Amino acid sequence: MTRRTLSVSTPRAAMRHRAGAVLLALAAALSLAGCDRQHSAESAAPASAPAPMQAPPMGYGGAMKVQRASAPQAEIAASQSDEARGGSGETALQRFLAVRQDLNVEVPAEQLADAWGKVRDLCGTLKCELLSSSLLRETPQQPGNALLEMRVEPADVDKLLGGLAGVANVVSHTTTSEDKTSEVIDVEARIKNRTEFRDSLRVMLRDTVTKRTMADLLAIQRTLSDTQAELDAIATQRKVLAQQTSKQHIQIQFTPKRALVSGSDGYSPMAHALRNAGDVLAESVGALITFVAAALPWLLLVVLPMGWLVRVLWRRRRTGKA
């Protein structure tokens, strides 16, 4: 009995011994892994932490300085590019200018009508809208002059001015421009808002689900009519602005060329009197004729009867003294 007990307990003890060895090996492995992780974390932390505290090398510090300095420049460039993109929009960047050019040209008196007609005909061959034209030929009482007023596409302005320079001498040329951008943006915004409001009113009129009284329908219809009338007026204003900004307003004043008197041949009273002697004589004769025509009725009605009466009285007085 004693031998059997020993034979059974021996394998159990061996199994316990093996299990204990496995547990010890496993615990040792886990402890080694934990130490390795802690050691790696501690080694990595000092390597990364001192970086911002320590002064970097010259080359690296210079690179960092360049990067930090380039950041505001990048922000400025980005803001400028945003402004450029915002300005290049259809309504933000595009400027609407009403350009006007006033020209005063001189031509010989005998060629004034021909020059005026050539420029007017040239306008008909270009993208040009003739607004007004007038011609006054020279007379003995007044000099001649002519006027052309037109709207011209910017692409054809140089052609028109080139044709004008070929027939007349430009004395003065004034160019003015008026910025209409804010007006155009405001009008377009009003058109958009009124259009959306009009469409919403139309949807309300077509709505058959919502129950509305006749008074409500009439009020909607009245508001719709007023909105449409306002929208038409704003659209007309936009067309006027489009005409002012899409074409240039050009006005040309034609005047006859006058010869200037030189300094050596200045004003001479005797020469002026000789040149105007005939006119002065004619004016004097005319004044005399006017005086006689005005005084003749008074001579017949007043002077002659008074003279006859004075003569009769004088004779009676002379006879009485005798």
Side-chain angles (χ1 to χ4, degrees), residues 148-170:
L148 286 176
E149 188 175 3
M150 61 199 79
R151 292 191 183 276
V152 188
E153 291 282 349
D156 291 341
V157 171
D158 293 338
K159 297 179 182 179
L160 180 67
L161 296 181
L164 176 64
V167 298
N169 181 26
V170 179

Side-chain angles (χ1 to χ4, degrees), residues 53-286:
M53 301 297 295
Q54 296 177 357
M58 294 301 294
Y60 181 73
M64 289 296 291
K65 186 180 292 185
V66 171
Q67 291 177 358
R68 292 177 182 176
S70 62
Q73 296 178 359
E75 293 177 359
I76 295 174
S79 63
Q80 292 178 354
S81 62
D82 293 338
E83 291 178 358
R85 285 194 298 269
S88 61
E90 184 176 357
T91 57
L93 182 69
Q94 183 181 0
R95 299 181 61 190
F96 297 88
L97 300 177
V99 181
R100 179 184 177 92
Q101 299 191 37
D102 295 325
L103 296 95
N104 191 357
V105 299
E106 282 187 350
V107 293
E110 64 276 4
Q111 299 178 5
L112 190 143
D114 295 337
W116 172 80
K118 289 180 181 179
V119 177
R120 186 187 59 181
D121 295 340
L122 179 61
C123 176
T125 61
L126 303 175
K127 294 180 180 179
C128 173
E129 178 185 359
L130 185 62
L131 300 179
S132 64
S133 63
S134 61
L135 173 64
L136 179 62
R137 298 183 182 274
E138 186 174 4
T139 62
Q141 290 77 21
Q142 61 184 1
N145 63 79
L147 177 68
L148 286 176
E149 188 175 3
M150 61 199 79
R151 292 191 183 276
V152 188
E153 291 282 349
D156 291 341
V157 171
D158 293 338
K159 297 179 182 179
L160 180 67
L161 296 181
L164 176 64
V167 298
N169 181 26
V170 179
V171 177
S172 64
H173 186 180
T174 305
T175 302
T176 58
S177 61
E178 183 180 0
D179 195 351
K180 299 283 188 178
T181 305
S182 60
E183 296 183 22
V184 172
I185 293 175
D186 179 65
V187 169
E188 290 181 349
R190 291 171 59 192
I191 290 176
K192 182 179 178 181
N193 294 334
R194 293 291 90 186
T195 302
E196 293 177 355
F197 184 59
R198 180 200 61 185
D199 296 340
S200 64
L201 292 174
R202 289 178 176 177
V203 171
M204 293 175 65
L205 284 179
R206 291 193 297 265
D207 186 10
T208 57
V209 178
T210 305
K211 294 182 179 180
R212 294 187 175 87
T213 62
M214 183 60 65
D216 295 337
L217 294 176
L218 291 177
I220 295 173
Q221 185 66 38
R222 190 181 306 109
T223 306
L224 179 59
S225 300
D226 296 340
T227 304
Q228 184 63 46
E230 183 180 358
L231 185 60
D232 294 339
I234 300 174
T236 303
Q237 184 180 358
R238 181 65 184 93
K239 290 180 180 180
V240 173
L241 289 173
Q243 291 179 356
Q244 294 177 354
T245 56
S246 62
K247 295 182 180 181
Q248 295 188 14
H249 185 277
I250 298 179
Q251 180 174 328
I252 305 174
Q253 179 73 39
F254 295 84
T255 56
K257 186 179 296 184
R258 296 295 180 183
L260 298 178
V261 179
S262 60
S264 59
D265 298 334
Y267 176 74
S268 176
M270 295 182 64
H272 181 73
L274 291 175
R275 286 195 300 267
N276 298 332
D279 295 337
V280 173
L281 179 61
E283 291 177 1
S284 299
V285 174

